[in-house]
Amino acid sequence: MKVFITATGVNSAIGTNVNECLLALTQERSGLGSCDIFDYKSLHVGRVNQSNDELRERIGLPNENWPRTALLGLLAAQEAFKGNSDSSVRKGFINGTTTGGMDLTEQHYGRPEEARKADGWKVVATHDLGVVTALIAQQLSSFDYINTISTACSSSANSIMLGARMIRNGSLDQVLAGGCDALTSFTINGFKSLMIYANDVCRPFDQHRLGLNLGEGAGYLLLENEKSLASSGNTALAELTGWANTNDAFHQTGTSEEGTGAKLAMIRALEKSGLAAEKIDYLNAHGTATNNNDKSEMTAIDAVFDHVDFSSTKGFTGHTLGASGGIEAVFSMLSLQYQQAWVNKNLNESLNEGKIYPLGSDLPKKINHVMSNSFGFGGNSTSLIFTKN
């Protein structure tokens, strides 16, 4: 059974919808800037350029005190979701996130007297990751299946993979899958404590990279089978032909120097799709700009491909954690739709460990198959393959 992608939705530091993000990518315009929240003025982040109040107004919930994660998620989900009124079509929503309602609940840390108030408990109740998923779902449709995936930075990619598997095995006919995450003080402090947060804009796959910049946003794909397509009338934009998840369990946060998990994820995704490695026209790499990730991923890419045009788009958006797989899946779809491989932003001197080098500029080319990599803490590695319809 084929898995078709019929719609996409996204917001990030380079735009609050698909068209805005496409324009920024084609103009090679980064969304990274100095941090105007918390107490990190010296740091760069990829912040969505809308306040919570503006997001509430835009999605039609002006009086709701939702976590920013849920606001960002609903904005992108509304763009992607084209519901099916046919009651025989089984619909699912699978959401990836790592921060959940943390952007609200961390405001109560160290202030238990505030949390004890009635409104305080309502805020604390949003901390659970599944609450964010439920809030988004209740505004969209009556879904037959709802799930939350949290596998660090591969969360959204695994949500998409699970949706595809459930369509393939006949459990669901239409699935909205992807993820959302907002910037929080906790995550910024966490990555600073690991000493992998750059004091300048991030430079994925650069010889002199200093670390990552965090970002926020959301990205979703609408997946459908032929039954759902027949009744929804939606147009198939592409097909999800390959997917795989592996785990090398090398370290709590780092990946093995050999890139074992990443290599296996790419190989098994290719096997699932039935494609040879040389058929991949563009690879949207995970590329966090940390010393460990970039060397490890490049080693894995070298092991799988003799040549491939690849780049990381995190120089545009920052690392959006649980949302990254969804956002970059949308960017991969845009590559297919507009026949463009995206530039590896902020690249000055490429890593010299590999025989393949990231793109120094946008590359218009014939693109039929795109691979998107998402690698999470603990070695949780996922690769997706999108094929032009």
Side-chain angles (χ1 to χ4, degrees):
M1 184 179 292
K2 292 185 177 181
V3 180
F4 298 102
I5 298 110
T6 60
T8 61
V10 68
N11 56 69
S12 72
I14 59 172
T16 58
N17 56 44
V18 171
N19 286 336
E20 288 180 4
C21 288
L22 173 62
L23 183 62
L25 288 168
T26 55
Q27 293 179 345
E28 300 187 13
R29 173 166 43 83
S30 174
L32 297 177
S34 59
C35 187
D36 60 354
I37 54 174
F38 314 123
D39 295 316
Y40 309 106
K41 305 301 182 185
S42 64
L43 298 181
H44 285 74
V45 297
R47 184 160 171 78
V48 173
N49 189 29
Q50 288 202 318
S51 68
N52 285 4
D53 287 341
E54 290 171 327
L55 289 169
R56 290 187 193 99
E57 288 291 335
R58 186 163 172 180
I59 62 180
L61 296 168
N63 300 316
E64 298 292 339
N65 188 26
W66 279 24
R68 184 172 175 84
T69 301
L71 297 173
L72 293 170
L74 182 55
L75 179 62
Q78 286 176 333
E79 184 180 22
F81 187 61
K82 298 178 180 179
N84 196 317
S85 59
D86 187 340
S87 60
S88 70
V89 171
R90 295 156 298 176
K91 299 188 290 290
F93 176 46
I94 306 176
N95 186 47
T97 183
T98 65
T99 61
M102 188 187 299
D103 60 292
L104 286 184
T105 60
E106 69 182 8
Q107 297 173 23
H108 290 276
Y109 182 76
R111 295 192 299 164
E113 70 284 355
E114 292 293 325
R116 290 192 186 98
K117 296 178 181 178
D119 289 345
W121 283 115
K122 289 180 183 179
V123 169
V124 171
T126 68
H127 187 81
D128 183 87
L129 302 179
V131 171
V132 166
T133 303
L135 288 171
I136 298 170
Q138 72 186 18
Q139 297 296 321
L140 295 175
S141 179
S142 177
F143 291 101
D144 299 286
Y145 178 83
I146 299 173
N147 200 351
T148 304
I149 303 292
S150 187
T151 53
C153 308
S154 58
S155 299
S156 292
N158 282 332
S159 297
I160 295 167
M161 182 182 73
L162 177 58
R165 291 176 64 188
M166 295 189 75
I167 288 177
R168 181 70 68 86
N169 69 25
S171 299
L172 294 170
D173 303 304
Q174 184 188 64
V175 181
L176 180 66
C180 51
D181 261 342
L183 286 164
T184 72
S185 179
F186 179 88
T187 48
I188 292 176
N189 275 319
F191 281 92
K192 281 176 60 65
S193 73
L194 294 172
M195 296 182 288
I196 55 173
Y197 206 114
N199 290 324
D200 199 352
V201 293
C202 67
R203 292 181 283 175
F205 297 112
D206 191 272
Q207 185 73 21
H208 305 290
R209 64 200 179 282
L210 299 172
L212 56 73
N213 302 149
L214 289 184
E216 63 179 2
Y220 295 97
L221 305 181
L222 186 61
L223 311 177
E224 298 190 65
N225 62 13
E226 291 177 352
K227 174 185 176 180
S228 181
L229 272 179
S231 62
S232 70
N234 294 333
T235 300
L237 304 175
E239 186 181 344
L240 182 56
T241 53
W243 56 81
N245 171 259
T246 62
N247 197 314
D248 59 16
F250 175 76
H251 186 269
Q252 287 181 324
T253 58
T255 53
S256 64
E257 290 187 5
E258 299 79 15
T260 304
K263 179 175 68 176
L264 286 175
M266 289 187 281
I267 289 172
R268 291 176 183 173
L270 287 165
E271 291 172 349
K272 169 70 74 173
S273 69
L275 295 169
E278 58 266 26
K279 293 295 185 180
I280 300 298
D281 301 300
Y282 169 60
L283 168 61
N284 189 304
H286 188 56
T288 63
T290 62
N291 181 60
N292 171 258
N293 175 91
D294 287 9
K295 290 178 69 174
S296 175
E297 186 173 8
M298 185 168 275
T299 298
I301 291 170
D302 281 344
V304 175
F305 298 95
D306 289 325
H307 172 77
V308 66
D309 291 318
F310 80 97
S311 67
S312 167
T313 49
K314 289 183 174 64
F316 288 93
T317 64
H319 189 353
T320 56
L321 301 181
S324 61
I327 291 170
E328 290 162 26
V330 175
F331 291 173
S332 297
M333 285 289 298
L334 290 173
S335 289
L336 283 177
Q337 291 174 265
Y338 295 94
Q339 300 290 282
Q340 187 98 334
W342 308 121
V343 65
N344 194 97
K345 192 71 177 171
N346 305 325
L347 182 71
N348 295 319
E349 182 182 350
S350 176
L351 266 173
N352 58 15
E353 276 81 358
K355 62 177 182 288
I356 307 171
Y357 298 96
L359 292 169
S361 62
D362 281 350
L363 180 64
K365 61 175 296 190
K366 184 177 181 180
I367 299 178
N368 291 315
H369 307 283
V370 176
M371 178 181 283
S372 182
N373 285 345
S374 299
F375 305 143
F377 277 176
N380 196 301
S381 305
T382 301
S383 294
L384 306 171
I385 297 176
F386 304 96
T387 296
K388 188 173 176 61
N389 196 49

